[in-house]
Amino acid sequence: MTITDAGTDVVADVPKGLFIDGAWTDAASGRTFAVADPATGKVLCEIADAGPDDGRRALEAAVAAQEGWAATAPRARSEILRRAYEIILARTEELALLMTLEMGKPLDQARGEVAYAAEFFRWFSEEAVRIDGGYAPTPDGANRIVVMRQPVGPCLLITPWNFPLAMGTRKIGPAVAAGCTMVLKPAPQTPLSSLALAGILTEAGLPAGVLNVVTTTDAATVVEPLLRGGRVRKLSFTGSTAVGRILLAQCADTVVRTSMELGGNAPFIVFDDADLDVAVDGAMAAKMRNMGEACTAANRMFVHRSVADEFAARFAERMAGLTVGPGTEPGTDVGPLIDAAGRGKVEELVADAVRRDAKVLTGGTTPEGSGYFYPPTVLTDVARDSALMSTEIFGPVAAVTTFEDEDDVVRVANDTDWGLVGYVFTRDLDRAIRVSERLEVGMVGLNTGLVSNPAAPFGGVKQSGLGREGGRVGIEEFLEYKYLAVPVRAAK
Ligand code: ADP
C-alpha cells in the first residue's frame, strides 16, 4: 500500500477552511494551525483557526437557518441522512485512511469506526420520520391534552479526538433528524474527519446553515461567548469531565440544555465461574479498542483470586502478541497515542503503580524513536490506591487486581465519581443480573467487552455525564415538548 501517496491525496482532498452557511471560508484573522500524524509527528496540513468572530458568524448562520429547517418535511431530513450514510460507506477506505492519519488508530479499526459512524446516520434517518406526539383527555374529562414535539433549536456540538467520525455523526444524526441546526466544534487534534463529514452532508443535500463547522485551537475563547449569548438552545458535549464541568457552569447562566458524555473509570469484573476464554476476549476488546483511548475502556480489572493468575497470564500473552506500529501499516494492532501529553500521562500512571509494587507482566517501557507509541501493558498486584485506579488511563495499560467476595467487588467498583460502563463476566445468571443491577453505571457489558451500538442508549451516571446518545432516546435529547390545552365544550 503506498500510504504516503494515498495519504497525501486523501489529506489534499479534504477542505481546510471553516464551514459556515454552506461555504468554506478562512478564519477572519487568516490564522491557521497544523494537524499532525501521531505516528510520525509530521504535519499533514494546515487548517483554519477560528476566533470568536468566526464562532459568532457560524452561530448566526445556524440561527438564521433554524426556522426553515424545522419546517422541512421529516422525510426530506431522513433522506439526507440516508444518502450521507451511503456516501460514507462508499468512501470507507478514504475516510478510514484520513482518520488513521490524523488520529493514529490502525486502519482496520478506522474502517470499523467508519461503519459505526455511518450507522448513526442510518439509525437517525429512521427516527426522523417517527417523531410523534400525544392526545389524551384530562382526568376530569373537560380538556384535551395535545402534545407535540419540536426541535430544541440551534445546537452547539463539541467532539473529542478519539472517535473523530463517530462522535460527529452521533450528534449530527439526531440533530438533523429532529430538525435542529448546529455549530460543530471538533477537537483540534482531529478536525479533518469532521470537515470531510461536512462535505458529505452537503453532497447529500443538507441545506446551507444547518451544519456549520468551526475548527480552532482556542476552544474556550470561541465557545464561551456562544454559550453565554443566549441563542444556543442545546449543548451536546463529549470530552473530559473537567471541561464538562466548565461548560455546565457556562450553560447554567443562560439555562442551556445539555447532553454530557464525560469520562469513565470502567470496572471489569471476572468472577470465578466465568468462561475465561470469553473473559480474555472481552478484556482485549474492552482494553485495546482504540489503543485504550476510549471512555468505555476497562480501567480497573477485578479478577476473582482463584482465577487471577490464569486470567492474567493468558491476557498478558495475548497483549504481548499484539503488533505496535503506524496505523497505516498492514498488520498493526496498536497505533500511537494521540500526542506527547497523552503518552506522558500513561507513563506516569505506570511508574506510580510500579512504585507501589505492581508487577509488570508485559510492556511498561516506552520505545525509542518518533511517534507516540506505547506498548500493550499488563500490570498485576496493583495497589488500590495507585493513581491509575482513580484516573482514566486512556492508553493500552491494563491494571489487574483481585477480589474474593461479590459484595466487596461491587462496593469497590462503585467507589468512584464516574459511572459510564462496567463489564461483568460470569456464567451464573442470578449473579449477572444481581451485579448488573448494583453497578452504578449507565451501561453494562455482560460477558462482552463491547457495548457501543447506535441502536442502544449510550451514556453514564454520576460524573460520567447527563443524557444518552443513540437508541430511541437519542433523538429526544434534541426535541422539546409543547403541550396544547384544548377545552372541548358540550354542543349547544
Ligand atoms: P481531551 O482531554 O480528551 O482532549 P477535552 O475535554 O479537553 O478532552 O476536549 C474535548 C473537546 O472539548 C475538544 O473539542 C476540545 O477542544 C474542547 N474543549 C476543551 N476545553 C474547552 C473549553 N474550555 N470550552 C469549550 N470546549 C473545550
Side-chain angles (χ1 to χ4, degrees), residues 158-161 185-189 219-220 223 237-240 243 246-247 394:
I158 301 180
T159 53
W161 49 262
K185 195 218 76 64
Q189 296 92 334
V223 164
F237 171 77
T238 300
S240 62
V243 173
I246 295 171
L247 295 175
F394 246 60

Side-chain angles (χ1 to χ4, degrees), residues 215-241:
T215 50
T216 178
T217 51
D218 196 0
T221 313
V222 172
V223 164
E224 186 169 358
L226 301 185
L227 288 176
R228 293 198 189 280
R231 289 186 302 174
V232 170
R233 298 265 51 93
K234 157 103 197 174
L235 167 68
S236 179
F237 171 77
T238 300
S240 62
T241 299

Side-chain angles (χ1 to χ4, degrees), residues 32-54:
T32 62
F33 68 97
V35 181
D37 176 352
T40 59
K42 288 201 182 115
V43 172
L44 295 167
C45 62
E46 292 274 333
I47 65 163
D49 193 358
D53 286 346
D54 301 304

